[in-house]
Amino acid sequence: DAGVIQSPRHEVTEMGQEVTLRCKPISGHNSLFWYRQTMMRGLELLIYFNNNVPIDDSGMPEDRFSAKMPNASFSTLKIQPSEPRDSAVYFCASRYRQGADTEAFFGQGTRLTVV
Amino acid sequence: GESVGLHLPTLSVQEGDNSIINCAYSNSASDYFIWYKQESGKGPQFIIDIRSNMDKRQGQRVTVLLNKTVKHLSLQIAATQPGDSAVYFCAERGGGTSYGKLTFGQGTILTVHP
């Protein structure tokens, strides 16, 4: 398996534009997490899914952020409209199942810069 | 007001020394813990894990200790090498209403000098 795949690796966009980040989890994993990493706040959990259903989105900063998981092999994190303070590295991670004592595997991240 | 960034704890050691990295977790209902290593420009990578019914687990050159009484984890790295230089995070899997939720500590920067 190629691991968790995120795209794009880098994204530079202008303030006010819509940004969509994509994630393909490891095949067979049914828990998926979106994290944001910044110097200011470290590694923050934004939302996580179990069996494609959002379980906890309490970390989503505001209504400008939304996440979907239409099927077991794909998830998106969308920011609309984007703002400079959204600049960060966004990580997606997947895990075998919610209750398993197994680690979450991380993608390489998407570095987002909003100018 | 002026915003400040996180002031990550730092640990600087000489090659060959043993390193101990500490972490305090927040949820007394957390039942599973993981240590991750993150190198520059990469996502966090798994090092070792431990269940809440254990107090110690050993891997290759690494040992994790868990003290549930004070909600404290530590990662011990034996014979630290320059390649161990990275940011180290502990993560906890929540219990109760937060079951399955994986949250991370702030991280510790480890620098190993040759």
Side-chain angles (χ1 to χ4, degrees), chain A residues 44-102:
Chain A
E44 300 173 276
L45 176 63
L46 300 177
I47 185 172
Y48 78 98
F49 295 84
N50 195 52
N51 290 324
N52 311 337
V53 175
I55 302 300
D56 186 332
D57 65 354
S58 59
M60 295 287 262
E62 48 197 270
D63 291 346
R64 297 185 298 106
F65 285 68
S66 63
K68 293 182 180 179
M69 193 164 185
N71 57 62
S73 57
F74 184 65
S75 178
T76 59
L77 178 67
K78 185 177 294 186
I79 308 172
Q80 167 61 20
S82 57
E83 296 182 2
R85 60 190 168 126
D86 302 330
S87 298
V89 180
Y90 291 82
F91 287 102
C92 175
S94 73
R95 191 148 166 253
Y96 173 52
R97 59 183 176 90
Q98 186 180 17
D101 292 340
T102 58

Coordinates of all heavy atoms in Angstrom, one line a residue, chain A residues 44-102:
Chain A
E44 N -3.4 20.3 15.7 CA -4.8 20.3 16.2 C -5.6 19.3 15.4 O -5.6 19.3 14.2 CB -5.4 21.7 15.9 CG -4.7 22.9 16.5 CD -5.4 24.2 16.0 OE1 -5.0 24.6 14.9 OE2 -6.3 24.7 16.7
L45 N -6.5 18.6 16.1 CA -7.4 17.8 15.4 C -8.6 18.6 15.0 O -9.2 19.3 15.8 CB -7.9 16.7 16.4 CG -9.0 15.7 15.8 CD1 -8.5 15.0 14.6 CD2 -9.5 14.8 16.9
L46 N -8.9 18.6 13.7 CA -10.0 19.3 13.2 C -11.3 18.5 13.2 O -12.4 18.9 13.7 CB -9.7 19.8 11.8 CG -8.5 20.7 11.6 CD1 -8.3 21.0 10.1 CD2 -8.6 22.0 12.4
I47 N -11.2 17.3 12.7 CA -12.4 16.5 12.5 C -12.0 15.0 12.4 O -10.9 14.8 11.9 CB -13.3 16.9 11.3 CG1 -14.6 16.1 11.3 CG2 -12.5 16.8 10.0 CD1 -15.6 16.7 10.2
Y48 N -12.8 14.1 12.8 CA -12.5 12.7 12.5 C -13.8 11.9 12.1 O -14.9 12.3 12.5 CB -11.7 12.0 13.5 CG -12.4 11.5 14.7 CD1 -12.8 10.1 14.8 CD2 -12.6 12.3 15.8 CE1 -13.4 9.7 16.0 CE2 -13.2 11.8 17.0 CZ -13.6 10.5 17.0 OH -14.3 10.1 18.2
F49 N -13.6 11.0 11.2 CA -14.7 10.2 10.7 C -14.5 8.7 11.1 O -13.3 8.2 11.2 CB -14.6 10.2 9.1 CG -14.9 11.5 8.5 CD1 -13.9 12.5 8.3 CD2 -16.2 11.8 8.0 CE1 -14.2 13.7 7.8 CE2 -16.4 13.1 7.4 CZ -15.4 14.0 7.3
N50 N -15.6 8.0 11.2 CA -15.5 6.6 11.4 C -16.6 6.0 10.5 O -17.7 6.4 10.5 CB -15.9 6.2 12.9 CG -15.5 4.8 13.2 OD1 -14.4 4.4 12.9 ND2 -16.4 4.0 13.7
N51 N -16.1 5.1 9.6 CA -17.0 4.5 8.6 C -17.7 5.6 7.8 O -18.9 5.5 7.6 CB -18.1 3.6 9.3 CG -17.4 2.3 9.8 OD1 -16.5 1.8 9.2 ND2 -17.9 1.9 11.0
N52 N -16.9 6.6 7.4 CA -17.4 7.7 6.5 C -18.3 8.7 7.2 O -18.7 9.6 6.6 CB -18.1 7.2 5.3 CG -17.3 6.1 4.6 OD1 -16.1 6.0 4.7 ND2 -18.0 5.3 3.8
V53 N -18.6 8.5 8.5 CA -19.5 9.4 9.2 C -18.7 10.3 10.1 O -17.8 9.8 10.9 CB -20.5 8.5 10.1 CG1 -21.3 9.5 10.9 CG2 -21.3 7.6 9.2
P54 N -18.9 11.6 10.1 CA -18.2 12.5 11.0 C -18.6 12.2 12.4 O -19.8 12.3 12.8 CB -18.6 13.9 10.5 CG -19.9 13.7 9.8 CD -19.8 12.3 9.2
I55 N -17.6 12.0 13.3 CA -17.9 11.7 14.7 C -17.7 12.9 15.6 O -18.5 13.1 16.5 CB -16.9 10.5 15.2 CG1 -17.1 9.3 14.3 CG2 -17.2 10.2 16.6 CD1 -18.5 8.7 14.3
D56 N -16.7 13.6 15.3 CA -16.4 14.8 16.2 C -15.8 15.9 15.3 O -14.7 15.7 14.7 CB -15.4 14.4 17.3 CG -15.2 15.5 18.3 OD1 -15.3 16.7 17.9 OD2 -14.9 15.2 19.5
D57 N -16.5 17.0 15.1 CA -16.0 18.1 14.3 C -15.8 19.3 15.2 O -15.8 20.5 14.7 CB -16.9 18.4 13.2 CG -18.3 18.9 13.6 OD1 -18.5 18.9 14.9 OD2 -19.1 19.3 12.8
S58 N -15.6 19.1 16.5 CA -15.5 20.2 17.4 C -14.2 21.0 17.2 O -14.1 22.2 17.6 CB -15.5 19.7 18.9 OG -14.5 18.8 19.1
G59 N -13.3 20.5 16.5 CA -12.0 21.2 16.2 C -12.1 22.1 15.0 O -11.1 22.8 14.7
M60 N -13.1 22.0 14.2 CA -13.2 22.8 13.0 C -13.4 24.2 13.4 O -14.3 24.6 14.2 CB -14.5 22.3 12.2 CG -14.3 20.9 11.7 SD -13.1 20.8 10.3 CE -14.3 20.9 8.9
P61 N -12.5 25.1 12.9 CA -12.4 26.5 13.4 C -13.7 27.3 13.3 O -14.1 28.0 14.2 CB -11.3 27.1 12.6 CG -10.5 26.0 12.0 CD -11.5 24.8 11.9
E62 N -14.3 27.2 12.2 CA -15.5 28.0 11.9 C -16.2 27.5 10.7 O -15.8 26.5 10.1 CB -15.1 29.5 11.8 CG -13.9 29.7 10.8 CD -13.3 31.1 11.0 OE1 -13.8 32.0 10.3 OE2 -12.4 31.1 11.8
D63 N -17.3 28.2 10.4 CA -18.1 27.7 9.3 C -17.4 27.7 7.9 O -17.9 27.1 7.0 CB -19.4 28.5 9.2 CG -20.3 28.2 10.4 OD1 -20.1 27.2 11.1 OD2 -21.3 29.0 10.6
R64 N -16.3 28.4 7.8 CA -15.6 28.4 6.5 C -15.0 27.1 6.2 O -14.7 26.8 5.1 CB -14.5 29.5 6.6 CG -15.1 30.9 6.8 CD -13.9 31.9 6.7 NE -12.9 31.7 7.7 CZ -11.7 31.2 7.5 NH1 -11.3 30.8 6.3 NH2 -10.9 31.1 8.5
F65 N -14.9 26.2 7.2 CA -14.2 24.9 7.1 C -15.3 23.9 7.0 O -16.3 23.8 7.8 CB -13.3 24.6 8.2 CG -12.0 25.3 8.3 CD1 -12.0 26.7 8.5 CD2 -10.8 24.6 8.1 CE1 -10.8 27.4 8.5 CE2 -9.6 25.3 8.1 CZ -9.6 26.7 8.3
S66 N -15.2 22.9 6.0 CA -16.1 21.8 5.9 C -15.3 20.6 5.5 O -14.3 20.7 4.7 CB -17.2 22.1 5.0 OG -16.8 22.3 3.7
A67 N -15.7 19.4 5.9 CA -15.1 18.2 5.5 C -16.1 17.2 5.1 O -17.2 17.1 5.7 CB -14.2 17.7 6.6
K68 N -15.7 16.4 4.1 CA -16.6 15.3 3.7 C -15.9 14.0 3.5 O -14.7 14.0 3.2 CB -17.3 15.7 2.4 CG -18.3 16.9 2.5 CD -18.9 17.2 1.1 CE -19.9 18.4 1.2 NZ -20.5 18.7 -0.1
M69 N -16.6 12.9 3.6 CA -16.0 11.6 3.2 C -17.1 10.8 2.5 O -17.9 10.1 3.1 CB -15.6 10.9 4.5 CG -14.7 9.7 4.2 SD -13.8 9.1 5.6 CE -12.8 7.9 4.9
P70 N -17.2 11.0 1.2 CA -18.3 10.4 0.4 C -18.1 8.9 0.3 O -19.2 8.2 0.1 CB -18.1 11.1 -1.0 CG -16.7 11.5 -1.0 CD -16.3 11.9 0.4
N71 N -16.9 8.4 0.5 CA -16.7 6.9 0.5 C -15.5 6.6 1.3 O -14.8 7.5 1.7 CB -16.7 6.4 -1.0 CG -15.6 7.1 -1.8 OD1 -14.4 7.0 -1.4 ND2 -15.9 7.8 -2.8
A72 N -15.2 5.3 1.4 CA -14.2 4.9 2.3 C -12.8 5.2 1.8 O -11.8 5.0 2.5 CB -14.3 3.3 2.5
S73 N -12.7 5.6 0.5 CA -11.3 5.8 -0.1 C -11.1 7.3 -0.4 O -10.1 7.6 -1.1 CB -11.2 5.0 -1.3 OG -12.2 5.2 -2.3
F74 N -11.9 8.2 0.1 CA -11.7 9.6 -0.3 C -12.3 10.6 0.7 O -13.4 10.3 1.2 CB -12.3 9.8 -1.7 CG -12.0 11.2 -2.2 CD1 -10.7 11.6 -2.5 CD2 -13.1 12.1 -2.5 CE1 -10.5 12.9 -3.1 CE2 -12.9 13.3 -3.0 CZ -11.6 13.7 -3.3
S75 N -11.5 11.6 1.0 CA -12.1 12.7 1.9 C -11.5 14.0 1.4 O -10.5 14.1 0.8 CB -11.6 12.4 3.4 OG -12.1 13.5 4.2
T76 N -12.3 15.0 1.7 CA -11.9 16.4 1.3 C -12.1 17.3 2.5 O -13.0 17.1 3.4 CB -12.7 17.0 0.2 OG1 -14.1 17.0 0.5 CG2 -12.5 16.2 -1.1
L77 N -11.2 18.3 2.6 CA -11.3 19.4 3.5 C -11.4 20.7 2.7 O -10.5 20.9 2.0 CB -10.1 19.4 4.5 CG -10.1 20.5 5.5 CD1 -11.2 20.4 6.5 CD2 -8.8 20.6 6.3
K78 N -12.4 21.4 2.9 CA -12.6 22.6 2.1 C -12.6 23.8 3.0 O -13.2 23.8 4.1 CB -13.9 22.5 1.3 CG -14.2 23.6 0.3 CD -15.5 23.4 -0.5 CE -15.4 22.2 -1.4 NZ -16.6 22.0 -2.2
I79 N -12.0 24.9 2.5 CA -12.0 26.2 3.1 C -12.6 27.2 2.1 O -12.1 27.4 1.1 CB -10.6 26.6 3.6 CG1 -9.9 25.5 4.4 CG2 -10.7 27.9 4.4 CD1 -8.5 25.8 4.7
Q80 N -13.7 27.9 2.5 CA -14.3 28.8 1.7 C -15.0 29.9 2.5 O -16.0 29.6 3.2 CB -15.3 28.1 0.8 CG -16.3 29.0 0.0 CD -15.7 30.0 -1.0 OE1 -14.5 29.8 -1.4 NE2 -16.4 31.0 -1.3
P81 N -14.6 31.1 2.4 CA -13.4 31.7 1.7 C -12.2 31.5 2.6 O -12.3 31.5 3.8 CB -13.8 33.1 1.6 CG -14.6 33.4 2.8 CD -15.4 32.2 3.0
S82 N -11.1 31.4 1.9 CA -9.8 31.2 2.7 C -9.3 32.6 3.2 O -9.6 33.6 2.6 CB -8.7 30.6 1.8 OG -8.5 31.3 0.6
E83 N -8.6 32.5 4.3 CA -8.0 33.7 4.9 C -6.5 33.5 5.2 O -6.1 32.3 5.4 CB -8.7 34.1 6.2 CG -10.2 34.5 6.0 CD -10.9 34.8 7.3 OE1 -10.2 34.9 8.3 OE2 -12.1 35.1 7.2
P84 N -5.7 34.5 5.3 CA -4.3 34.3 5.6 C -4.0 33.5 6.9 O -3.1 32.7 6.9 CB -3.8 35.7 5.7 CG -4.6 36.5 4.8 CD -6.0 35.9 5.0
R85 N -4.9 33.6 7.9 CA -4.7 32.9 9.1 C -4.9 31.4 9.0 O -4.7 30.6 9.9 CB -5.6 33.4 10.2 CG -7.0 33.3 9.9 CD -7.8 34.1 11.0 NE -9.2 34.3 10.6 CZ -10.2 33.9 11.4 NH1 -10.0 33.4 12.5 NH2 -11.5 34.2 10.9
D86 N -5.4 31.0 7.8 CA -5.6 29.5 7.5 C -4.3 28.9 7.0 O -4.2 27.6 6.9 CB -6.7 29.3 6.5 CG -8.0 29.9 6.9 OD1 -8.3 29.9 8.1 OD2 -8.8 30.3 5.9
S87 N -3.3 29.7 6.8 CA -2.0 29.2 6.4 C -1.4 28.2 7.4 O -1.3 28.5 8.6 CB -1.0 30.3 6.1 OG -1.5 31.1 5.1
A88 N -1.1 27.0 7.0 CA -0.7 25.9 7.9 C -0.4 24.7 7.0 O -0.5 24.7 5.8 CB -1.8 25.6 8.8
V89 N 0.1 23.7 7.7 CA 0.2 22.4 7.1 C -1.0 21.5 7.6 O -1.2 21.4 8.8 CB 1.6 21.7 7.4 CG1 1.6 20.3 6.7 CG2 2.7 22.5 7.0
Y90 N -1.7 21.0 6.6 CA -2.8 20.1 6.9 C -2.5 18.7 6.7 O -2.0 18.3 5.6 CB -4.0 20.6 6.1 CG -4.6 21.9 6.4 CD1 -3.9 23.1 6.0 CD2 -5.6 22.1 7.3 CE1 -4.4 24.4 6.3 CE2 -6.1 23.4 7.7 CZ -5.5 24.5 7.2 OH -5.9 25.7 7.6
F91 N -2.7 17.9 7.7 CA -2.4 16.5 7.6 C -3.7 15.6 7.7 O -4.6 15.9 8.4 CB -1.5 16.0 8.8 CG -0.1 16.4 8.7 CD1 0.3 17.5 9.5 CD2 0.8 15.8 7.8 CE1 1.7 17.9 9.4 CE2 2.1 16.2 7.8 CZ 2.5 17.3 8.6
C92 N -3.7 14.6 6.9 CA -4.7 13.6 6.9 C -4.1 12.3 7.5 O -2.9 12.0 7.2 CB -5.3 13.3 5.5 SG -6.5 12.0 5.4
A93 N -4.8 11.6 8.3 CA -4.3 10.3 8.9 C -5.5 9.3 8.8 O -6.6 9.7 9.0 CB -3.8 10.5 10.3
S94 N -5.1 8.0 8.7 CA -6.1 7.0 8.7 C -5.7 5.9 9.7 O -4.5 5.7 10.0 CB -6.4 6.4 7.3 OG -5.3 5.6 6.9
R95 N -6.7 5.2 10.2 CA -6.4 4.2 11.2 C -7.3 3.0 10.9 O -8.4 3.1 10.3 CB -6.8 4.8 12.5 CG -6.4 4.0 13.7 CD -6.1 5.0 14.8 NE -6.1 4.3 16.1 CZ -7.1 4.4 17.0 NH1 -8.1 5.1 16.8 NH2 -7.0 3.7 18.1
Y96 N -6.9 1.8 11.3 CA -7.6 0.6 10.9 C -9.1 0.6 11.3 O -10.0 0.5 10.5 CB -6.9 -0.6 11.5 CG -7.7 -1.9 11.3 CD1 -8.1 -2.3 10.1 CD2 -7.9 -2.8 12.4 CE1 -8.8 -3.5 9.9 CE2 -8.6 -3.9 12.3 CZ -9.0 -4.3 11.0 OH -9.7 -5.5 10.9
R97 N -9.3 0.9 12.6 CA -10.7 1.1 13.0 C -10.7 1.8 14.3 O -9.7 1.9 15.0 CB -11.5 -0.2 13.1 CG -10.9 -1.3 14.1 CD -11.7 -2.6 14.0 NE -11.1 -3.6 14.9 CZ -11.4 -3.8 16.2 NH1 -12.3 -3.0 16.7 NH2 -10.8 -4.7 16.9
Q98 N -11.8 2.4 14.7 CA -12.0 3.3 15.8 C -11.5 2.7 17.1 O -10.7 3.3 17.8 CB -13.4 3.7 15.9 CG -13.6 4.8 17.0 CD -15.1 5.2 17.1 OE1 -16.0 4.5 16.6 NE2 -15.4 6.3 17.7
G99 N -11.8 1.4 17.4 CA -11.5 0.8 18.6 C -10.2 0.1 18.7 O -9.8 -0.5 19.7
A100 N -9.5 0.0 17.5 CA -8.3 -0.8 17.5 C -7.2 -0.2 18.2 O -7.0 1.1 18.1 CB -8.0 -1.1 16.0
D101 N -6.4 -0.9 18.8 CA -5.2 -0.4 19.5 C -4.1 -0.4 18.4 O -3.1 -1.1 18.5 CB -4.8 -1.3 20.7 CG -5.8 -1.2 21.8 OD1 -6.5 -0.2 21.8 OD2 -5.8 -2.1 22.7
T102 N -4.3 0.5 17.5 CA -3.3 0.6 16.4 C -3.1 2.1 16.1 O -4.0 2.9 16.4 CB -3.8 0.0 15.1 OG1 -5.0 0.5 14.7 CG2 -3.9 -1.5 15.3

